[in-house]
Amino acid sequence: MHSSHLLLEEPIRMASILEPSKASFFPAMTKIVGTLGPKSRSIEVISGCLKAGMSVARFDFSLGDPEYHQETLENLKAAVKSTKKLCAVMLDTVGPELQVINKSEKSISLLADAFVVLTPNQEKEASSEVLPINFDGLSKAVNPGDTIFIGQYLFTGSETTSVWLEVSEVKGDDVVCVIKNSATLAGSLFTLHASQIRIDLPTLSDKDKEVISTWGVQNKIDFLSLSYTRHAEDVRQAREYLSKLGDLYQTQIFAKIENVEGLTHFDEILQEADGIILSRGNLGIDLPPEKVFLFQKAALYKCNVAGKPAVVTRVVDSMTDNLRPTRAEATDVANAVLDGSDAILLGAETLRGLYPVETISTVGKICAEAEKVFNQDLYFKKTVKFVGEPMSHLESIASSAVRAAIKVKASVIICFTSSGRAARLIAKYRPTMPVLSVVIPRLKTNQLRWSFSGAFEARQSLIVRGLFPMLADPRHPAESTSATNESVLKVALDHGKASGVVKPRDRVVVCQKLGDASVVKIIELED
């Protein structure tokens, strides 16, 4: 099954390019995060998204109130039940986002070379001459000549719904700007982005805290996407806040890097966060276009060697309105996979796009093709070299399991884990075959009642490349006698057979804990 893996260093055979793509039980090893919204919140569409390959659902609180998102989430739960496809939940904070307030919701036409005033006075009506904003410190933060972008879905350079302004002068609290391109702003809310300027607002706003402590707690969110993370301290404060909210101490924090400030402190942020989201929409404004790819490659490499999931955004914008991506977008998705991305995040494409299911399906197919030529050998050597010696006990078991699986051409690696850490470590070495992470629930008590942990750990692997979780029966603990472990193994193998990953006479590598020892074993299946 995996012997035909080509490497990009070899000349790629034309025949393999012309071969039709094969469908399998999971569309790709790379995960897809879909943002649910107006065009993707019915049970029917969400079911289609799950079948097409979405494994994490993102709820963006910049738009819609908690009731709206709760309805969407109830539909997601129904879709998960009917499709039997696991899905994790990600809450995306608003953060220190600057916004233009348009109470009347009338369209605003802006003409190139005219002047417009940005004012913190929110009592004023939004018009072609005046735009009220939600921040009173803008006049202190900008200087004449600075660039400001305003748009509903962030400026890409070709949209007629976004405008580029240049600061002309500062008058008291107001900022007078020259309009650089004609555009029409439609809707009630627009994002304002001041390029490379420090915005003195907290990363977790009071509104964010309120949403997390109510909606987040009620729904036991798996991931918190922390918008506009600028310092490691932002992640520490968010973690401290989550730790006081019941089950949310287990929620993973993904730092969203969206500006030069976050980029400057990237290494410290990576140490603190559980994962990274490269928000290329905003970053593409803060950085010159020719630097975006450099940051992407450097950041993904750092996430890979640290063994932390990395997510890339803004990949197929044109699929918001079209059934096919552009050639550049298709190449971009493949390059994100070859650079080492764990997951691709779709925003507007699924939120308000006309083809959410087709977009997920298309992105999944591109990822699967790129995975076939991913140079695992080189990647493995680089990662081992970076880890250095002496390796930790777990790290050495994980790398040995991957090496063994590749040497014997195993069809799958099965890993028994209770915290999910061992499985994530195996995935860090990017095996060419899927890793079935069998999460063994642990019994815990708070002195009042007993409960099982494990569901969080299982769902949180849904954002890691190549990791496919299943929750084991709590009656078979991981560390007990080998006999019960065999029965959990049998369940895992049956799951693999049912989903078509494991066939008779295949080899399977199993990584498990027996007492205090960790073992890697190779089993050959019978006919």
Side-chain angles (χ1 to χ4, degrees), residues 153-171:
Y153 306 105
L154 280 184
F155 196 88
T156 60
S158 62
E159 296 181 50
T160 52
T161 56
S162 312
V163 70
W164 169 31
L165 309 173
E166 189 180 295
V167 176
S168 164
E169 59 173 321
V170 174
K171 283 186 175 173

Side-chain angles (χ1 to χ4, degrees), residues 19 88 110 213 221 250 287 302 323 344-345 367 375 378 423 434-435 440 451 456-457 513-514:
E19 258 172 35
L110 299 170
S213 63
I221 53 168
Q250 301 178 78
L287 287 174
K302 287 179 172 182
L323 255 175
I344 301 287
L345 189 153
C367 291
N375 192 338
L378 182 70
V435 181
I440 313 280
S451 63
F456 264 104
E457 290 83 348
K513 232 178 157 172
L514 291 177

Side-chain angles (χ1 to χ4, degrees), residues 5 43 63 136 140 142 152 166 180 184 235 271 278 306 313 316 341 387 471 474 482:
H5 268 274
I43 297 178
L63 301 159
D136 51 18
K140 297 179 194 69
V142 297
Q152 209 173 352
E166 189 180 295
K180 304 299 274 187
T184 302
V235 183
Q271 272 186 314
L278 306 181
T313 71
V316 285
S341 177
V387 171
L471 206 52
S482 57

Side-chain angles (χ1 to χ4, degrees), residues 326-342:
T326 65
R327 291 94 179 134
E329 287 171 337
T331 307
D332 182 34
V333 174
N335 278 325
V337 173
L338 296 174
D339 287 349
S341 177
D342 280 83

